[in-house]
Amino acid sequence: MAKPKTQFVCQNCGTVHNRWAGKCDGCGEWNTIIEDDQMGGIGGGPGKMPKKGRAVALTTLSGETEEAPRIHTGISELDRATGGGFVRGSAVLVGGDPGIGKSTLLMQAAAALSRRGHRIIYVSGEEAVAQVRLRAQRLDAANTEVLLAAETNVEDILATIGDGKRPDLVIIDSIQTLWSDTADSAPGTVTQVRTGVQAMIRFAKQTGAAMVLVGHVTKEGQIAGPRVVEHMVDAVLYFEGDRGHHYRILRTVKNRFGPTDEIGVFEMSDKGLREVTNPSELFLGERNSKSPGAAVFAGMEGTRPVLVEVQALVAPTSLGTPRRAVVGWDSSRLSMILAVLEAHCGVKLGQHDVYLNVAGGYRITEPAADLAVASALVSSLAGLALPADCVYFGEISLSGAVRPVSQTAQRLKEAEKLGFAGAMLPATSAEVPKGANGRWATIEDLPDLVSRIAGSASRLRQTPEDD
Ligand code: TYD
Ligand code: MG
């Protein structure tokens, strides 16, 4: 038999290296590579010779499915993120920073499902039964039929959840605490996490129970992060948020049974997570519309419009190389907008520090935010506040043209609903609703935007009481 070879695996992204190195080539993280045995994990059995295969019965795509494939929690923000509820026989990974509220969310989901008559098992590997009970009391979930176990051994967990009536949903909190007798590396390593997760997925597929796996995102890389199992599960949700703010976003990253651009928005309160059905109101809550450098972006998250404020501060620099700092947006996208402003509008920012912030700790991924960002930058540089009741959206191309974006009508409808009477949007936008009360201004290109901002601001100055 071949001598087992040692390999070195990054605990953050799972990249395999032949020798140890300080930095992982795969993800760029430092000190995340550790020695691992080759035989554990997926693919390789524990050093056995390959056995002769057994033929399985082939079947067809059409056929009987036993029952409704989805189980709804009734927590609409969660159901939206999962694409309409948890799918029976599937595995969902819920990742996020420690302390963000994953256990809280899943305990609330467990309680809600249990009230709807489902059999739910919650396996906690991090907290003792007493701690989980305390949380359940706080969340008003203690009077439900959720079954609880504090266990970390994979074989024991499988024996427990496989015993008796089949559960509808099993929650494993967290995958990083799982350890199996069949893999001989330490708990928390890539091999152990993968082995554990694979066993749980197999259980889900065999029994038809839905499996929810919790994974901590780790910065230090001492324990394997959720990324090493993303490819194995059916859906990946990330629970994000800013510690300085109360709201949390459940973002779908991968979903084999639904759309991947949906979000669920929650607010953390002293009684657990509360659903936020109108996120725009939350993100615009603390707005001071009179100051220069703030523009409201009419964005979309999946099928839902979200209005959020983009703030820019442009100030003369005292450094040789001016600073560019971005929170909540892509920094290379900012560089591009700055370059386009300079090349096509003569707006010189080479001697200015530029700070860009998306209010409330929210993160924008859409290129449609370009126009709002450019407006905020121009407004801050000129020291002119933008009209308080105007929203901005549109993608900017390198030529300076403003390109149309999708779902114009929904964006405008949401803006109108929240009292924004004006909008600046791409000139070529289709589906602009006619006959509404809104003042929709269409923008051809970036120079057009700059002159309009200068124009609207000077009009404001003449009649400040109009505002
Ligand atoms: P938790 O769900 O334990 O986080 P995770 O499982 O992602 O590590 O939540 C931890 C934080 O949430 C903790 O700092 C306390 C806070 N919290 C509340 O503010 N209200 C509550 O009702 C609960 C249960 C927790
Ligand atoms: Mg937890």
Side-chain angles (χ1 to χ4, degrees):
M1 199 172 84
K3 187 169 149 262
K5 243 177 52 195
T6 359
Q7 61 178 8
F8 296 85
V9 183
C10 170
Q11 303 296 294
N12 185 48
C13 67
T15 307
V16 179
H17 303 258
N18 287 329
R19 62 173 69 86
W20 190 86
K23 186 181 177 187
C24 171
D25 300 335
C27 61
E29 290 290 324
W30 287 88
N31 296 326
T32 56
I33 296 174
I34 65 154
E35 192 175 331
D36 209 355
D37 69 292
Q38 193 144 11
M39 292 311 183
I42 329 158
K48 283 194 215 124
M49 292 297 283
K51 68 166 184 151
K52 192 165 183 303
R54 173 178 61 87
V56 296
L58 295 170
T59 177
T60 58
L61 291 176
S62 61
E64 293 284 299
T65 40
E66 55 169 313
E67 52 201 314
R70 285 192 189 265
I71 42 180
H72 304 273
T73 59
I75 303 175
S76 59
E77 295 295 306
L78 176 61
D79 287 342
R80 185 205 314 272
T82 51
F86 294 107
V87 178
R88 290 182 195 275
S90 79
V92 181
L93 176 70
V94 178
D97 288 324
I100 206 74
K102 300 180 292 299
S103 306
T104 308
L105 175 70
L106 293 173
M107 179 51 80
Q108 284 180 252
L113 286 168
S114 167
R115 285 198 190 99
R116 291 173 156 233
H118 295 293
R119 184 177 153 92
I120 312 297
I121 302 184
Y122 190 106
V123 182
S124 173
E126 290 182 349
E127 291 154 301
V129 168
Q131 282 173 297
V132 180
R133 281 191 183 145
L134 272 179
R135 177 183 294 117
Q137 277 166 18
R138 191 167 164 187
L139 300 174
D140 206 14
N143 57 355
T144 59
E145 311 268 285
V146 176
L147 301 163
L148 178 63
E151 184 51 61
T152 54
N153 181 276
V154 173
E155 287 72 31
D156 291 351
I157 293 175
L158 288 176
T160 312
I161 60 182
D163 192 30
K165 193 167 163 266
R166 179 199 74 174
D168 293 298
L169 182 109
V170 179
I171 297 166
I172 306 287
D173 188 3
S174 68
I175 56 168
Q176 277 114 349
T177 57
L178 291 179
W179 66 278
S180 164
D181 301 321
T182 58
D184 31 275
S185 41
T189 54
V190 171
T191 310
Q192 283 287 8
V193 169
R194 279 188 180 157
T195 311
V197 167
Q198 201 168 42
M200 295 305 150
I201 293 174
R202 205 176 310 124
F203 177 86
K205 302 269 182 261
Q206 280 166 0
T207 62
M211 184 67 68
V212 179
L213 305 160
V214 177
H216 291 291
V217 173
T218 55
K219 288 277 185 296
E220 292 75 25
Q222 295 306 312
I223 45 176
R227 281 178 61 188
V228 300
V229 297
E230 271 184 1
H231 64 286
M232 296 157 66
V233 295
D234 298 302
V236 180
L237 307 175
Y238 274 96
F239 206 35
E240 314 172 333
D242 189 301
R243 273 172 197 273
H245 296 93
H246 285 302
Y247 73 85
R248 305 277 182 266
I249 292 174
L250 190 63
R251 200 179 281 279
T252 318
V253 180
K254 161 181 173 178
N255 196 347
R256 286 187 183 146
F257 309 107
T260 51
D261 50 3
E262 291 292 358
I263 59 165
V265 185
F266 299 89
E267 192 176 8
M268 182 64 96
S269 72
D270 57 345
K271 283 217 162 30
L273 292 155
R274 243 182 9 89
E275 289 180 70
V276 177
T277 41
N278 192 344
S280 305
E281 273 167 16
L282 186 75
F283 295 135
L284 295 175
E286 307 138 12
R287 206 159 89 87
N288 172 11
S289 51
K290 297 254 172 14
S291 56
V296 176
F297 166 53
M300 293 296 296
E301 284 286 355
T303 54
R304 187 152 60 152
V306 176
L307 264 53
V308 60
E309 188 182 62
V310 177
Q311 304 163 345
L313 176 64
V314 180
T317 186
S318 54
L319 306 167
T321 318
R323 288 206 57 172
R324 307 282 182 245
V326 192
V327 179
W329 205 48
D330 183 8
S331 58
S332 50
R333 199 95 200 159
L334 172 68
S335 310
M336 193 198 94
I337 305 270
L338 293 176
V340 177
L341 276 173
E342 183 147 358
H344 298 288
C345 312
V347 177
K348 299 257 180 292
L349 291 159
Q351 295 303 312
H352 288 81
D353 288 336
V354 175
Y355 301 91
L356 191 81
N357 179 38
V358 178
Y362 182 69
R363 190 163 59 81
I364 302 177
T365 48
E366 267 189 297
D370 291 353
L371 200 67
V373 172
S375 307
L377 290 169
V378 173
S379 156
S380 175
L381 180 70
L384 302 169
L386 298 169
D389 61 348
C390 187
V391 297
Y392 300 79
F393 60 89
E395 186 178 340
I396 294 172
S397 67
L398 286 178
S399 65
V402 177
R403 291 217 303 248
V405 295
S406 61
Q407 293 160 301
T408 302
Q410 280 101 311
R411 294 175 203 263
L412 292 175
K413 213 166 115 202
E414 174 80 354
E416 249 190 334
K417 200 169 95 195
L418 292 170
F420 289 84
M424 293 215 187
L425 58 146
T428 43
S429 292
E431 42 156 346
V432 179
K434 297 212 166 56
N437 309 327
R439 293 180 275 108
W440 315 139
T442 50
I443 308 285
E444 292 283 345
D445 51 21
L446 217 43
D448 187 16
L449 175 78
V450 174
S451 62
R452 272 173 196 266
I453 290 176
S456 68
S458 55
R459 250 186 288 123
L460 279 179
R461 271 182 176 173
Q462 284 156 11
T463 52
E465 60 279 336
D466 268 12
D467 188 14

